[in-house]
């Protein structure tokens, strides 16, 4: 489980098995979860993992990528739009 914080959570998300769903936190919309997607190489050659955060009927896609020996949240043009 990761502690609330942007970079603090990137490493645990990167280690989740593909297709797994992990409880993250409680929100006004209900329990929040992180669903791990597949690992892939970015256009810059960095190892990345797509993921989706969901709470109630809201969800948000994002990616975490390994850059300079650290996992970081990467905003993506198409996946960062709320659904």
């Amino acid at each position: 489980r990761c502690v609330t914080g942007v970079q603090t959570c990137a490493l645990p998300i990167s280690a989740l098995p593909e297709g797994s769903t992990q409880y993250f936190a409680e929100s006004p919309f209900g329990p929040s979860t992180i669903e791990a997607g597949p690992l892939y190489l970015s256009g810059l050659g960095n190892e990345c993992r797509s993921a989706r955060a969901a709470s109630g009927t809201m969800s948000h896609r994002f990616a975490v990528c390994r850059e300079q020996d650290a996992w970081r949240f990467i905003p993506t043009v198409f996946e960062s739009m709320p659904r």
Side-chain angles (χ1 to χ4, degrees), residues 9-67:
C9 294
L11 180 60
I13 291 169
S14 71
L16 290 172
E18 182 178 342
S20 68
T21 300
Q22 176 70 45
Y23 171 81
F24 177 67
E26 205 57 40
S27 79
F29 307 103
S32 298
T33 58
I34 303 289
E35 181 182 326
L39 289 171
Y40 64 94
L41 284 179
S42 73
L44 299 173
N46 295 324
E47 183 181 13
C48 297
R49 174 177 296 282
S50 64
R52 183 175 72 94
S55 185
T57 60
M58 301 287 295
S59 70
H60 180 79
R61 295 197 64 74
F62 62 94
V64 292
C65 293
R66 188 173 183 89
E67 293 182 337

